[in-house]
């Protein structure tokens, strides 16, 4: 798991792990448990997602671009949740991420959010188990198979498995 994962308070890690019992990770339920609502929306062209304080100041709202492919939308939700977990004090009136996950936060913050998003969607233990199983039953393309099971892009799973 990433340094960002290890930065989270133990109780927050435990909270997230409740939703990491089986793939695909139950992302909408996790967001809800953290007090964040998720909505698909038509966003400005070139914007993949955003997170803002909810109206009335109770929790946060993530909006994801409804025109993005489903796996991309999932990664965006995890990325915005990572901003919520790591950079809540810097969200201000809101953060908008473009298709390359760049916002008004620093590149360092964006990399942190991408690493934590990967940990949320592809926890080490679960990926390890699924990988062993896939190899035992002789799946042709293990990375592709795992990407399908976890609902992530093949590229994201390849980074996870081959690092
Ligand atoms: Zn971002």
């Amino acid at each position: 798991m990433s340094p960002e994962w290890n930065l989270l308070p133990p109780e927050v890690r435990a909270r997230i792990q409740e939703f990491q019992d089986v793939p695909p990770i139950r992302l909408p339920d996790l967001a809800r448990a953290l007090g964040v609502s998720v909505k698909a929306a038509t966003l400005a062209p070139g914007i993949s997602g955003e997170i803002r304080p909810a109206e009335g100041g109770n929790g946060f709202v993530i909006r994801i671009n409804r025109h993005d492919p489903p796996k991309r939308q999932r990664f965006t939700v995890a990325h915005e949740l990572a901003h919520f977990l790591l950079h809540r004090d810097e969200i201000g009136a809101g953060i908008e991420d473009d298709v390359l996950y760049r916002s008004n936060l620093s590149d360092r913050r964006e990399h942190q959010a991408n690493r934590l998003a990967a940990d949320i969607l592809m926890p080490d233990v679960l990926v390890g188990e699924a990988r062993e199983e896939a190899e035992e039953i002789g799946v042709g393309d293990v990375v592709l198979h795992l990407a399908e099971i976890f609902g992530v892009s093949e590229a994201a799973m390849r980074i996870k498995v081959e690092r």
Side-chain angles (χ1 to χ4, degrees), residues 79 83 97 101 103 110:
H79 177 97
H83 279 317
D97 275 289
Y101 298 118
S103 71
E110 294 305 330

Side-chain angles (χ1 to χ4, degrees), residues 55-145:
E55 308 248 335
N58 202 0
F60 285 80
V61 180
I62 290 171
R63 287 190 182 79
I64 47 174
N65 193 329
R66 71 163 88 244
H67 302 295
D68 280 348
K71 287 176 178 173
R72 168 90 193 169
Q73 291 186 24
R74 267 176 74 73
F75 195 88
T76 302
V77 172
H79 177 97
E80 300 304 333
L81 271 184
H83 279 317
F84 167 77
L85 292 164
L86 297 169
H87 311 132
R88 201 170 315 172
D89 296 343
E90 296 172 60
I91 291 175
I95 299 175
E96 257 185 9
D97 275 289
D98 71 10
V99 291
L100 297 174
Y101 298 118
R102 291 177 308 200
S103 71
N104 59 338
L105 298 185
S106 65
D107 288 352
R108 180 166 169 271
R109 295 277 190 273
E110 294 305 330
H111 291 143
Q112 289 178 326
N114 283 335
R115 284 193 294 265
L116 184 58
D119 282 342
I120 290 172
L121 292 170
M122 299 173 284
D124 286 350
V125 173
L126 216 51
V127 171
E129 286 170 4
R131 186 183 186 174
E132 263 180 44
E133 236 175 79
E135 283 165 353
E136 268 170 36
I137 59 175
V139 166
D141 187 333
V142 172
V143 171
L144 184 62
H145 173 79

